[in-house]
């Protein structure tokens, strides 16, 4: 009799585990599909309001202090702080863009000189390759010329006309961006003014606590991730700009920022620019330049290897390999914005599953 009861309990336990596994898998699949649709269809429509919410949340504590101590309405304080914030960001962006544009204009102006220098380096490399592989003089250069002409022909035939055709599209996008900024300002002020009423209204919902828990998990993990990426990119940019200034490169700011952005992408990394550059410097017998470039590369890798696990893995509780996978899948699904939406989707899925399972 006891054996029968034990068997029955074991079978019920196994059935219960099976049901829990099925429930977990269905929940995971449903959550993943829902988050994908949210990021793909809904997110592009609510981006200005999402930024408005984040800005309002950052400014609210200060506006409440002014309202409580100085009796200044939250809308006035919030509007003043928002204007100061936008002025600061606008001036910083203007200074940065001005320097970048100056460096781009200088680069384009001196392009024929750099092209001649590059061709001299190519000639030297091709001559060495001919001697190294026992080829007829000029054979490597002929192969290079044939392929480079094909590349230029492709650019002239496909890319340049496409750029011309999309000029109007770019102008429309800029106008749309201006409108989004106006909506962002208005939405931020309204959220600051009605923050208490909005919270009181939504606190009556049956799933309010679940939504609040999910929001807190996403916010803490998301802020940790993007803050970590911003810190690492800033340090990498500073290393690159500093190293290129040592080389007296007049485009140090432009190149340093570009390398920092590329370094943030998985697989690519700063080595895709710095390593070939160092190799070319070696062929040109610029040993000092090659050493500095490789030092910049190894220093960037060291910074990322040390800071990334501490700033990202420990804060959001997701292993770096899953973060890289999320970025890769995000880029495949959402394009370039997948660099942001991929990890954000992973954090959102994880937060929802944890709240549903009560963990």
């Amino acid at each position: 009799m006891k054996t029968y009861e034990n068997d029955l309990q074991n079978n019920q336990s196994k059935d219960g585990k099976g049901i829990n596994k099925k429930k977990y898998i269905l929940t995971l699949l449903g959550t993943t599909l829902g988050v994908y649709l949210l990021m793909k269809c809904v997110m592009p429509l609510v981006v200005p309001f999402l930024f408005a919410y984040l800005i309002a949340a950052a400014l609210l504590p200060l506006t409440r202090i002014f309202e409580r101590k100085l009796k200044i309405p939250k809308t006035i304080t919030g509007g003043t702080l928002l204007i100061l914030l936008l002025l600061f960001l606008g001036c910083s962006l203007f200074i940065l863009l001005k320097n970048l544009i100056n460096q781009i204009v200088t680069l384009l102006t001196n392009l024929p000189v750099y092209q001649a220098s590059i061709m001299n380096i190519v000639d030297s490399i091709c001559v060495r390759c001919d001697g190294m592989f026992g080829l007829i003089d000029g054979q490597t250069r002929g192969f290079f010329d044939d392929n480079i002409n094909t590349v230029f022909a492709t650019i002239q035939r496909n890319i340049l006309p496409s750029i011309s055709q999309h000029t109007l599209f770019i102008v429309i996008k800029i106008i749309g961006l201006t409108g989004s900024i106006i909506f962002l300002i208005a939405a931020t002020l309204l959220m600051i003014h009605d923050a208490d009423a909005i919270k009181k209204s939504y606190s009556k919902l049956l799933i309010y606590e679940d939504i609040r828990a999910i929001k807190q998990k996403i916010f803490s993990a998301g802020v940790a991730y993007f803050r970590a990426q911003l810190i690492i990119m800033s340090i990498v940019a500073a290393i690159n700009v500093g190293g290129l200034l040592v080389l007296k490169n007049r485009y140090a700011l432009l190149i340093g920022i570009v390398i920092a952005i590329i370094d943030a992408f998985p697989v690519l990394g700063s080595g895709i620019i710095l390593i070939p550059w160092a190799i070319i410097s070696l062929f040109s017998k610029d040993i000092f330049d090659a050493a500095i470039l490789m030092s910049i590369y190894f220093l960037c890798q060291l910074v990322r290897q040390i800071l990334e696990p501490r700033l990202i893995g420990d804060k959001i509780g997701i292993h770096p390999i899953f973060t890289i996978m999320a970025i890769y899948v995000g880029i495949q699904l959402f394009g370039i914005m997948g660099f942001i939406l991929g990890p954000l989707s992973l954090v959102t899925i994880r937060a929802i599953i944890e709240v549903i399972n009560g963990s």
Side-chain angles (χ1 to χ4, degrees):
M1 186 69 177
K2 289 182 179 180
T3 304
Y4 173 76
E5 289 177 353
N6 290 336
D7 291 341
L8 182 61
Q9 289 176 356
N10 290 333
N11 289 333
Q12 289 175 343
S13 178
K14 290 178 181 179
D15 290 340
K17 288 181 179 179
I19 292 171
N20 288 335
K21 286 181 180 179
K22 290 179 181 178
K23 181 182 177 182
Y24 181 83
I25 291 171
L26 290 174
T27 302
L28 179 61
L29 292 175
T31 303
T32 303
L33 178 60
V35 170
Y36 168 74
L37 293 175
L38 175 69
M39 297 298 175
K40 189 73 174 179
C41 303
V42 179
M43 184 63 76
L45 303 176
V46 299
V47 166
F49 305 101
L50 180 61
F51 277 111
Y53 170 77
L54 295 175
I55 295 172
L59 297 180
L60 261 174
L62 198 55
T63 60
R64 283 174 175 153
I65 291 173
F66 275 88
E67 184 182 38
R68 186 172 63 254
K69 294 188 175 181
L70 301 178
K71 307 301 180 182
I72 300 175
K74 287 187 295 184
T75 307
I76 295 176
T77 307
T80 304
L81 293 173
L82 182 60
I83 291 171
L84 292 174
L85 177 64
L86 291 175
L87 285 174
F88 172 76
L89 293 176
C91 291
S92 302
L93 188 62
F94 174 77
I95 293 170
L96 178 62
L97 288 177
K98 182 182 177 182
N99 287 308
L100 288 177
I101 290 171
N102 287 338
Q103 293 190 4
I104 292 171
V105 170
T106 305
L107 176 63
L108 293 175
T109 304
N110 297 324
L111 200 57
V113 178
Y114 298 135
Q115 187 175 359
S117 299
I118 291 171
M119 287 297 102
N120 289 333
I121 295 171
V122 170
D123 285 336
S124 176
I125 294 173
C126 289
V127 169
R128 294 189 184 189
C129 288
D130 288 339
M132 189 182 300
F133 298 108
L135 302 173
I136 300 172
D137 290 344
Q139 189 170 351
T140 304
R141 179 57 193 268
F143 175 78
F144 175 82
D145 288 341
D146 290 341
N147 283 275
I148 201 69
N149 289 333
T150 302
V151 171
F152 284 142
T154 302
I155 292 173
Q156 291 176 347
R157 186 174 61 252
N158 298 326
I159 298 178
L160 293 180
S162 176
I163 293 173
S164 300
Q165 292 172 2
H166 286 79
T167 302
L168 180 61
F169 175 76
I170 293 171
V171 172
I172 293 172
K173 281 290 184 182
I174 292 173
I175 295 172
L177 179 62
T178 304
S180 297
I181 292 173
I182 294 172
F183 275 109
L184 183 147
I185 295 171
T188 303
L189 293 177
L190 288 173
M191 286 182 184
I192 290 173
H193 181 266
D194 298 331
D196 296 331
I198 292 172
K199 183 177 180 180
K200 185 178 179 180
S201 174
Y202 282 100
S203 62
K204 298 176 182 178
L205 295 174
L206 293 176
I207 57 172
Y208 171 75
E209 291 299 327
D210 292 332
I211 293 174
R212 190 168 66 89
I214 291 171
K215 185 191 73 172
Q216 288 177 344
K217 289 178 180 291
I218 293 172
F219 187 77
S220 60
V223 168
Y225 173 79
F226 293 115
R227 182 176 58 192
Q229 287 293 353
L230 185 61
I231 291 171
I232 294 172
M233 287 175 66
S234 300
I235 295 173
V236 169
I239 291 170
N240 279 277
V241 172
L244 294 174
L245 286 174
V246 171
L247 297 179
K248 297 180 180 179
N249 189 299
R250 66 177 68 185
Y251 311 110
L253 180 63
L254 175 63
I255 297 173
I257 291 175
V258 170
I259 292 176
I261 294 171
I262 293 174
D263 185 71
F265 286 84
V267 181
L268 294 178
S270 57
I272 199 170
I273 292 179
L274 293 174
I275 292 176
W277 192 353
I279 293 172
I280 292 172
S281 297
L282 279 176
F283 272 103
S284 304
K285 298 182 179 179
D286 295 327
I287 307 300
F288 178 74
D289 288 14
I292 293 295
L293 291 169
M294 289 308 298
S295 299
I296 294 172
Y297 170 70
F298 286 123
L299 194 55
C300 290
Q301 294 305 303
L302 182 64
V303 166
R304 186 163 287 278
Q305 292 298 321
I306 292 174
L307 292 183
E308 203 164 44
R310 294 186 178 185
L311 294 177
I312 297 178
D314 294 345
K315 299 294 183 183
I316 68 176
I318 297 174
H319 293 292
I321 183 61
F322 294 123
T323 304
I324 292 174
M325 290 171 62
I327 294 173
Y328 175 80
V329 173
I331 291 172
Q332 296 299 315
L333 293 176
F334 308 114
I336 191 67
M337 287 303 298
F339 176 70
I340 296 174
L341 296 181
L344 182 60
S345 299
L346 179 61
V347 168
T348 304
I349 292 169
R350 184 172 180 267
I352 293 172
I353 294 296
E354 286 182 353
V355 170
I356 290 175
N357 291 333
S359 57

